[in-house]
């Protein structure tokens, strides 16, 4: 059961080496002894991540990102082995390189796979199990880049926009089941994925995302923005006429 | 029967459950014999703060339909009632006969079934003990059958496992209560304001020797020399001769017609209780209280159930809900009490309301909360940053001091501390196992804290 302060007793992280995911799991499962499964493609880096999690009993699990259905099967296996899960955190994604990717059909396919197809597969699989058990929460990392999609990162942003819309619908489908979905829309987060890039305004650290997730869980929100002000930035940008938005260097 | 979202009074972890309104013993037995695989638990008025009266994905048996009241016997001062009767309704029937419930908590909107399952206490615990010690017998439905249990002799083991057993030994259907005789429906109240914790503790000890009821509000935001300053209110049922002559005649002395709360708390988008606001409110309340006042005649409501006057006051804490943390530490562990208050005053989470009380002897229930010592209840907005860490540290302090936290209030205890706080839990588990070997009775609380023991924890989520 997730306790009154948003802390699960068991959690599965799909994308188990994501710094945002690990910060979130540390914050929510740090003190309460929580069983955590870190799922991803690379066993040794998952093992490394598992060792760094304080307090939690973390184990790695591997799926094949190039095979459709692999991640869904893994999610099912985790539910079976742990006798249910309180939380599934889907933190798959890859930022790519907009300048190069927007001319490379294969890179576009890869981005859609990493940022939309795989996380969507993991999400539906998790949602079905959560719905059946009648409780638990699915946390999915979207991005401010999806709202609205902009000239400067539309390859990544559009794939995230697909996932974002998918999850809003999935959240609706969970209504009344006892399970729910929390969609997280972070802005620029200082992690490995963004290393070397110039931090955008309102940049934050993974810990701030973790705190926002905790707040979102306690307040039973459907969507959280990190930092919260991003919501208004996004709303402002969405009001701009498309040609103006396309010329903005953001 | 239908699927419904239910939560505790703190509104912290709502669950979607199949809600069944219980109307008869036969129906209860039927549900227990062909149980929901995901578990089943009884629920009354939902005044436990955490997740004790809910089962996510499972079945909840609402007992409010079992609201019959048997003949009130003024000779023996006893009454047999259905488990779904609220103390408030019972009081309306009892007071004209000069009788009062033996124990009343801070709200009258609790059912008799819930009062037994949580083995609740009131402001008179130092003198009269917990609720279950005033129960002559009770009817319990378990998957094994229907039992009539008494506090001594055959069946007493299950009786005491049920008292404070959080509904996990069976579904309480009825109980015979021993009542308190009163001359009036008024209280004679002494109030005293103190400047610090030592003053408050001393005043409480003194008051408990003289008064049947006592409780102290304290300013949990005050630090340094003012740490633990508070307002003690102690009282007794007013005697007839204490009332003004005009109120003594014509049944007026026993008149109890509580008005339904005129104030209704609004639904707020966020908790307004920031640390600054909370500090100011607490300071103002303390400053506005009389330094010393004695023998004031008061109605029952403001003395026993001040918060019942605001309907849905729990909504004031915003969508995140509230966490009430209630601990008891044994007498002699006043240092632990002080250190808890120091930690709370330091923050970061603001304690909006704190109440202190002295407990007398414990009941024989192995899972019953009250035990001799100081009990402190504190309300926090659940969404306050740093609350989880703060309460985890308080747990360690409380367990270290030989104390415990109250399961009826809990929504976040770490299960590994349960055995230290409730050292007789294995005894309780054995009695529970006998009554419900199949593990039919389960709540979110029991799953979260693994109350039934690790043996029954396996594979329960499957399906």
């Amino acid at each position: 059961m997730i306790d009154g302060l948003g802390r699960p007793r068991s959690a599965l992280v799909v994308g188990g080496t994501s710094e945002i995911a690990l910060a979130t799991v540390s914050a929510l499962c740090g003190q309460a002894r929580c069983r955590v499964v870190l799922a991803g493609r690379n066993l040794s880096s998952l093992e490394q991540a598992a060792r760094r999690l304080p307090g939690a009993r973390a184990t790695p699990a591997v799926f094949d990102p190039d095979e459709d259905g692999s991640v869904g099967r893994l999610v099912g296996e985790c539910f079976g082995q742990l006798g249910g899960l309180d939380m599934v955190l889907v933190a798959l994604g890859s930022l790519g390189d907009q300048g190069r990717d927007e001319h490379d059909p294969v890179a576009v396919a890869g981005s859609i796979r990493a940022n939309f197809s795989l996380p969507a597969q993991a999400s539906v699989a998790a949602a079905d199990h959560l719905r059946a058990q009648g409780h638990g929460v699915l946390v999915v990392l979207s991005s401010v880049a999806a709202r609205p999609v902009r000239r400067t990162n539309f390859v990544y942003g559009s794939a995230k926009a697909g996932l974002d819309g998918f999850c809003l619908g999935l959240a609706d489908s969970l209504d009344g089941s006892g399970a729910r979905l929390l969609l997280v829309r972070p802005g620029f987060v200082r992690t490995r994925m963004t290393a070397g890039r110039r931090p955008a305004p309102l940049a934050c650290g993974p810990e701030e995302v973790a705190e926002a997730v905790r707040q979102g869980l306690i307040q039973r929100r459907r969507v959280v923005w990190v930092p919260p002000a991003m919501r208004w930035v996004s709303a402002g940008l969405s009001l701009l006429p498309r040609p103006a938005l396309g010329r903005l260097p953001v | 029967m239908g699927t419904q979202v239910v939560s505790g009074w703190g509104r912290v972890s709502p669950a979607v459950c199949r809600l069944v309104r219980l109307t008869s013993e036969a129906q209860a037995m039927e549900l227990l014999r062909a149980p929901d695989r995901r578990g089943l638990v009884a629920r009354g008025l939902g005044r436990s703060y955490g997740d004790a009266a809910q089962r996510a994905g499972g079945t909840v048996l609402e007992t409010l339909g079992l609201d019959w009241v048997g003949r009130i016997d003024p000779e023996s001062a006893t009454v047999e009632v259905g488990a779904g009767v609220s103390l408030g309704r019972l009081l309306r029937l009892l007071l004209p006969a000069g009788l009062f419930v033996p124990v009343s908590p801070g709200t009258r909107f609790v059912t008799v079934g819930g009062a037994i399952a949580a083995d609740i206490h009131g402001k008179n615990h130092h003198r009269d003990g917990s609720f279950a010690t005033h129960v002559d017998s009770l009817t319990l439905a378990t998957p094994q059958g229907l039992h009539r249990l008494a506090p001594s002799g055959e069946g007493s083991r299950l009786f005491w496992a049920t008292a404070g057993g959080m509904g996990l030994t069976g579904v309480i259907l009825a109980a015979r209560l021993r009542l308190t005789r009163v001359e009036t429906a008024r209280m004679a109240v002494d109030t005293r304001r103190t400047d610090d914790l030592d003053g408050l503790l001393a005043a409480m000890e003194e008051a408990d020797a003289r008064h049947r009821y006592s409780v102290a509000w304290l300013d949990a935001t005050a630090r340094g020399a003012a740490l633990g300053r508070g307002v003690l209110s102690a009282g007794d049922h007013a005697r007839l001769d204490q009332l003004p002559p005009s109120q003594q005649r014509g049944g007026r002395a026993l008149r109890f017609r509580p008005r339904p709360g005129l104030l209704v708390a609004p639904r707020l988008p966020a908790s307004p209780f920031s640390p600054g606001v909370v500090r100011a409110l607490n300071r103002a309340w303390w400053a506005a209280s009389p330094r010393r006042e004695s023998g004031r005649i008061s109605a029952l409501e403001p003395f026993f159930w001040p918060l019942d006057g605001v309907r849905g006051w729990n909504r004031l804490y915003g969508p995140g809900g509230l966490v009430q943390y209630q601990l008891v530490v044994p007498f002699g562990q006043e240092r632990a009490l002080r250190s808890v208050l120091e930690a709370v005053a330091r923050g970061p989470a603001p304690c909006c309301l704190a109440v202190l009380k002295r407990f007398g002897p414990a009941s024989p229930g192995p899972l019953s909360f009250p035990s001799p010592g100081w009990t402190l209840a504190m309300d926090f907005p659940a969404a306050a940053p740093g609350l989880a860490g703060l309460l985890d540290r308080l747990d360690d302090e409380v367990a270290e001091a030989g104390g415990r936290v109250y399961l009826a209030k809990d929504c976040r205890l770490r299960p590994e501390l349960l055995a230290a706080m409730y050292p007789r839990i294995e005894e309780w588990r054995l009695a529970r196992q006998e009554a419900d070997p199949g593990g039919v009775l389960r709540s979110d609380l029991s799953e979260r804290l693994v109350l039934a023991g690790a043996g029954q924890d396996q594979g329960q989520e499957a399906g």
Side-chain angles (χ1 to χ4, degrees):
Chain A
M1 304 306 306
I2 293 187
D3 80 4
L5 298 179
R7 298 181 296 185
R9 303 295 301 169
S10 56
L12 163 65
V13 181
V14 186
T17 55
S18 147
E19 283 170 76
I20 295 178
L22 291 169
T24 305
V25 170
S26 300
L28 294 178
C29 313
Q31 302 217 15
R33 268 186 241 158
C34 176
R35 289 195 64 178
V36 178
V37 179
L38 299 180
R41 85 165 69 200
N42 184 324
L43 184 63
S44 67
S45 40
L46 290 167
E47 279 171 340
Q48 218 172 39
R51 276 195 295 276
R52 281 201 304 267
L53 271 185
R57 292 172 285 169
T59 46
V62 179
F63 64 88
D64 179 2
D66 298 319
E67 187 211 325
D68 279 332
S70 175
V71 69
R73 272 199 308 281
L74 179 87
V75 169
E77 282 160 22
C78 288
F79 271 88
Q81 276 164 18
L82 273 77
L85 282 165
D86 292 340
M87 184 172 101
V88 178
L89 173 53
V90 178
L92 294 167
S94 158
L95 196 50
D97 178 343
Q98 174 70 28
R100 210 174 52 212
D101 293 352
E102 67 182 67
H103 304 293
D104 180 352
V106 177
V108 169
S111 173
I112 291 172
R113 180 162 196 84
N115 294 308
F116 185 8
S117 168
L118 278 176
Q121 290 181 47
S123 299
V124 276
D128 274 346
H129 286 279
L130 292 171
R131 191 184 286 117
Q133 72 179 19
H135 68 94
V137 61
L138 173 59
V139 181
V140 183
L141 294 189
S142 175
S143 168
V144 165
R147 309 277 295 194
V149 177
R150 299 184 303 275
R151 166 69 189 92
T152 49
N153 62 355
F154 67 81
V155 177
Y156 173 77
S158 64
K160 279 288 190 191
L163 179 67
D164 195 283
F166 183 91
C167 287
L168 289 176
L170 190 60
D172 295 341
S173 85
L174 286 172
D175 273 350
S177 71
R180 59 208 167 87
L181 188 150
L182 174 66
L183 190 60
V184 186
R185 293 186 186 137
F188 188 99
V189 186
R190 286 178 292 265
T191 61
R192 271 194 322 274
M193 192 170 94
T194 58
R197 287 164 204 266
R198 194 169 52 85
L202 295 177
C204 64
E207 305 73 30
E208 280 158 82
V209 184
E211 172 61 19
V213 170
R214 197 185 66 81
Q215 284 285 342
L217 289 177
I218 293 178
Q219 306 199 5
R220 287 178 296 287
R221 304 268 291 276
R222 212 172 260 246
V223 176
V224 288
W225 299 81
V226 200
M230 271 300 174
R231 179 183 183 176
W232 307 114
V233 174
S234 160
L237 290 177
S238 301
L239 289 175
L240 290 178
R242 197 67 225 184
L245 183 62
R247 279 195 294 276
L248 271 188
V250 292
Chain B
M1 185 187 292
T3 301
Q4 206 166 317
V5 182
V6 297
S7 75
W9 188 244
R11 302 166 68 240
V12 280
S13 10
V16 173
C17 314
R18 225 177 78 223
L19 195 75
V20 181
R21 287 176 214 284
L22 209 53
T23 49
S24 69
E25 289 185 356
Q27 187 196 6
M29 286 315 303
E30 200 176 302
L31 286 157
L32 285 162
R33 290 218 173 95
D36 185 331
R37 275 192 311 156
R38 298 195 45 78
L40 169 161
V41 72
R43 175 184 179 91
L45 281 162
R47 252 44 175 207
S48 62
Y49 280 70
D51 47 10
Q54 62 190 48
R55 176 67 194 125
T59 302
V60 168
L61 302 186
E62 196 209 67
T63 62
L64 299 179
L66 304 172
D67 62 347
W68 52 271
V69 175
R71 196 180 76 83
I72 296 163
D73 182 356
E75 294 294 306
S76 62
T78 60
V79 66
E80 172 96 14
V81 296
V85 173
S86 75
L87 296 193
R89 176 155 170 262
L90 194 53
L91 279 167
R92 282 209 302 277
L93 301 170
L94 292 177
L95 274 162
L99 295 168
F100 200 77
V101 291
V103 166
S104 177
T107 168
R108 62 185 184 276
F109 303 124
V110 298
T111 63
V112 168
I116 297 169
D119 198 9
I120 62 166
H121 55 271
K123 300 175 182 31
N124 56 342
H125 189 277
H126 61 280
R127 188 166 296 187
D128 297 326
S130 63
F131 194 88
T133 62
H134 303 272
V135 175
D136 263 352
S137 58
L138 63 86
T139 307
L140 184 74
T142 73
Q144 312 280 74
L146 211 54
H147 308 268
R148 187 71 186 180
L149 304 171
S152 57
E154 204 187 335
S156 64
R157 214 158 74 99
L158 188 51
F159 179 98
W160 288 113
T162 301
M166 305 310 293
L168 299 165
T169 58
V171 178
I172 301 169
L173 298 174
R176 173 162 285 275
L177 310 178
R178 279 194 308 277
L179 307 164
T180 301
R181 290 178 205 278
V182 296
E183 291 181 21
T184 71
R186 308 278 193 285
M187 302 299 293
V189 183
D190 289 1
T191 305
R192 203 174 143 193
R193 192 178 81 182
T194 66
D195 298 319
D196 58 23
L197 185 62
D198 288 337
L200 187 62
L201 300 187
M204 291 187 78
E205 210 169 329
E206 197 190 303
D208 278 7
R210 289 185 295 118
H211 298 284
R212 181 168 208 159
Y213 299 94
S214 82
V215 72
W217 165 87
L218 60 82
D219 176 359
T221 62
R223 294 181 233 194
L227 184 85
R229 67 178 175 192
V231 180
L232 166 67
S233 75
D236 296 276
H237 292 289
R239 293 184 318 273
L240 197 58
D241 59 29
Q242 285 177 295
L243 299 193
S246 65
Q247 292 191 18
Q248 291 184 14
R249 288 186 300 271
R252 276 194 203 155
L254 286 165
R255 182 174 294 173
F256 174 59
R257 286 186 199 148
R259 270 172 298 180
L262 294 176
L263 299 167
V264 181
R267 228 169 252 284
L268 296 178
S271 163
F273 300 120
S274 67
V277 168
V278 168
R279 188 165 304 128
L281 286 174
N282 274 281
R283 180 175 305 164
W285 184 261
W286 182 83
S289 301
R291 189 155 273 286
R292 196 182 270 274
E293 194 180 61
S294 51
R296 191 171 54 86
I297 300 298
S298 154
L300 294 170
E301 298 97 303
F303 183 77
F304 281 107
W305 321 288
L307 286 173
D308 282 355
V310 185
R311 263 193 287 169
W313 62 264
N314 55 344
R315 289 201 293 262
L316 290 175
Y317 284 80
L322 86 136
V323 173
Q324 185 172 99
Y325 183 82
Q326 185 166 0
L327 62 90
V328 58
V329 291
F331 293 125
Q333 292 288 347
E334 288 75 16
R335 264 202 9 215
L337 187 65
R338 176 177 291 276
S339 132
V340 162
L341 284 169
E342 277 166 357
V344 170
R346 266 198 307 274
C351 170
C352 303
L353 182 63
V355 168
L356 185 67
K357 155 95 210 127
R358 292 172 78 247
F359 277 155
S363 88
L367 221 56
S368 173
F369 168 67
S371 63
W374 300 97
T375 184
L376 176 64
M378 297 179 284
D379 291 4
F380 299 91
L387 182 60
L390 171 70
L391 297 185
D392 282 349
R393 288 195 296 282
L394 299 192
D395 286 339
D396 293 334
E397 189 109 33
V398 168
E400 179 90 358
R404 56 175 62 139
V405 301
Y406 193 1
L407 297 182
K409 308 285 175 79
D410 182 59
C411 67
R412 35 66 48 201
L413 180 67
R414 288 162 294 162
E416 51 268 31
L417 284 171
L418 197 65
M421 292 185 169
Y422 289 90
R424 289 170 65 203
I425 187 144
E426 286 306 330
E427 184 186 333
W428 179 81
R429 282 175 177 158
L430 281 176
R432 193 203 106 84
Q433 175 74 19
E434 270 171 35
D436 176 24
V440 170
L441 293 151
R442 274 189 241 150
S443 61
D444 284 358
L445 174 84
S446 76
E447 299 303 286
R448 183 171 53 78
L449 293 179
V450 204
L451 271 177
Q456 294 204 350
D457 192 34
Q458 296 303 315
Q460 70 209 1
E461 301 279 352

